[in-house]
Amino acid sequence: MVGSEQDAVEARRASSGVLYALAAFFMWGLAVPLHFKLLTSVPTLQILAHRIVWASVFALGLIAAFRQGDKLAEAFASRQRVLLLSVSAGLIAINWLIYIWAVNSGHLVQTSLGYFINPLINVVLGVLFLRERLNPMQIAACLLAGIGVLTLAVASGEMPWVALALACSFGCYGLVRKIVPVAPLIGFCIESLLLAPLALGYLVLTFVDGTSVMFRGDVGLDLLLVLTGLSTAAPLIWFAAAAQRLKLSTVGLLQYLAPSGQLALGVLVYGEAFGWIDAIAFGLIWIALAIYTFSALRTASGR
């Protein structure tokens, strides 16, 4: 009887984890790019600054609601943690800046490519910095993904820098966060607070020189800028909740929903170019991801 009750609890926990994951990846794949597309009239740096400021406000509100103030103060008291989180804050700010510019400059297909290859970048970073070893299937996956990226580079005459910058910045961000012993919400709050003075300073300058787009009578635009805090913090928190409830392999499979949504938006809604060369390159990367995922599932099952 006890066993069946425990199984039921685990099943409910897993079900809620799937819902959290779906919510997070829906936000990242569809809602967030659509949100930023509504802000194309706003300079990229102003969007980034508002995103940082309002994300800080939202994160502090959650800290207060969940009574996590003591844990936040404890994390801030550690000089080493704050130093590492300063590095991760810089990396995520770079990632956000590139992403916002890419979405509003018609490069959604490249953003999707970046997040498709991000898991494979993580593998490479694990080998380089964490001394993790690759099995033959993982090596094959990385090589195939590399061929896919090179195919795009040769066809277009230049490397897909947007995709590579997004993948590498987020991969390095994940690497730093992996070695910082701090809860997801606490870490995100500290990162936002570390960036907030710079963001606030920049916004003050825009108010002084008259280039600020906020408080100019467009209430809808002001609300969209404030909501960047919600669209930034909510999926990160949902993702953390999913990661606590699901197997890492399950989260890994579901994470491809986000770049799939971005790709669909870019091609089907906003009419970005996607020719046969792109199809071949993405096909190679998808095969690489399938090989990588199969390898991860085998490892997780102990085979």
Side-chain angles (χ1 to χ4, degrees), residues 187-233:
F188 174 73
C189 186
I190 292 175
E191 289 168 344
S192 300
L193 292 174
L194 289 170
L195 294 169
L198 290 173
L200 274 172
Y202 172 72
L203 290 177
V204 169
L205 286 176
T206 63
F207 279 113
V208 171
D209 65 18
T211 59
S212 172
V213 298
M214 204 172 194
F215 305 129
R216 292 296 181 89
D218 190 338
V219 178
L221 183 63
D222 292 348
L223 181 60
L224 285 172
L225 287 170
V226 171
L227 287 175
T228 56
L230 176 64
S231 66
T232 297

Side-chain angles (χ1 to χ4, degrees), residues 4-294:
S4 61
E5 290 178 357
Q6 187 174 359
D7 290 342
V9 170
E10 288 297 321
R12 286 195 296 270
R13 183 176 172 82
S15 297
S16 65
V18 170
L19 292 176
Y20 277 124
L22 290 175
F25 294 128
F26 169 79
M27 284 283 286
W28 279 327
L30 297 175
V32 172
L34 285 171
H35 186 178
F36 288 131
K37 279 288 188 182
L38 295 174
L39 293 169
T40 51
S41 62
V42 182
T44 299
L45 275 177
Q46 286 196 42
I47 299 175
L48 175 65
H50 279 288
R51 187 178 193 183
I52 291 168
V53 170
W54 298 115
S56 301
V57 173
F58 190 76
L60 283 173
L62 289 172
I63 293 289
F66 294 125
R67 298 179 181 180
Q68 298 287 305
D70 291 343
K71 292 183 179 179
L72 180 63
E74 180 185 347
F76 258 121
S78 170
R79 188 174 179 179
Q80 183 181 15
R81 289 182 188 179
V82 172
L83 181 60
L84 286 171
L85 288 171
S86 298
V87 175
S88 64
L91 288 167
I92 199 63
I94 292 170
N95 182 269
W96 289 349
L97 180 65
I98 296 168
Y99 180 81
I100 293 167
W101 175 85
V103 168
N104 288 345
S105 301
H107 296 295
L108 261 174
V109 170
Q110 276 219 46
T111 68
S112 72
L113 174 63
Y115 291 112
F116 272 124
I117 65 177
N118 175 246
L120 301 171
I121 292 291
N122 290 340
V123 172
V124 174
L125 290 173
V127 171
L128 293 176
F129 295 101
L130 301 178
R131 297 183 180 179
E132 295 177 355
R133 294 186 177 182
L134 298 183
N135 61 41
M137 293 183 71
Q138 291 171 327
I139 293 173
C142 291
L143 289 174
L144 267 180
I147 293 171
V149 171
L150 286 175
T151 300
L152 287 176
V154 171
S156 64
E158 62 178 8
M159 292 293 287
W161 294 115
V162 171
L164 291 174
L166 285 171
C168 291
S169 59
F170 197 72
C172 291
Y173 170 77
L175 176 67
V176 175
R177 285 303 304 270
K178 184 178 178 66
I179 61 178
V180 183
V182 64
L185 175 57
I186 300 296
F188 174 73
C189 186
I190 292 175
E191 289 168 344
S192 300
L193 292 174
L194 289 170
L195 294 169
L198 290 173
L200 274 172
Y202 172 72
L203 290 177
V204 169
L205 286 176
T206 63
F207 279 113
V208 171
D209 65 18
T211 59
S212 172
V213 298
M214 204 172 194
F215 305 129
R216 292 296 181 89
D218 190 338
V219 178
L221 183 63
D222 292 348
L223 181 60
L224 285 172
L225 287 170
V226 171
L227 287 175
T228 56
L230 176 64
S231 66
T232 297
L236 283 170
I237 294 164
W238 291 336
F239 176 78
Q244 291 174 349
R245 290 165 171 79
L246 297 173
K247 293 179 180 178
L248 195 59
S249 56
T250 304
V251 176
L253 286 171
L254 291 173
Q255 79 177 31
Y256 301 124
L257 292 173
S260 297
Q262 293 169 9
L263 178 62
L265 273 180
V267 176
L268 301 178
V269 178
Y270 295 108
E272 293 185 19
F274 191 82
W276 65 272
I277 292 291
D278 300 281
I280 291 172
F282 270 80
L284 289 170
I285 291 165
W286 287 329
I287 293 170
L289 289 172
I291 293 171
Y292 166 76
T293 303
F294 178 72

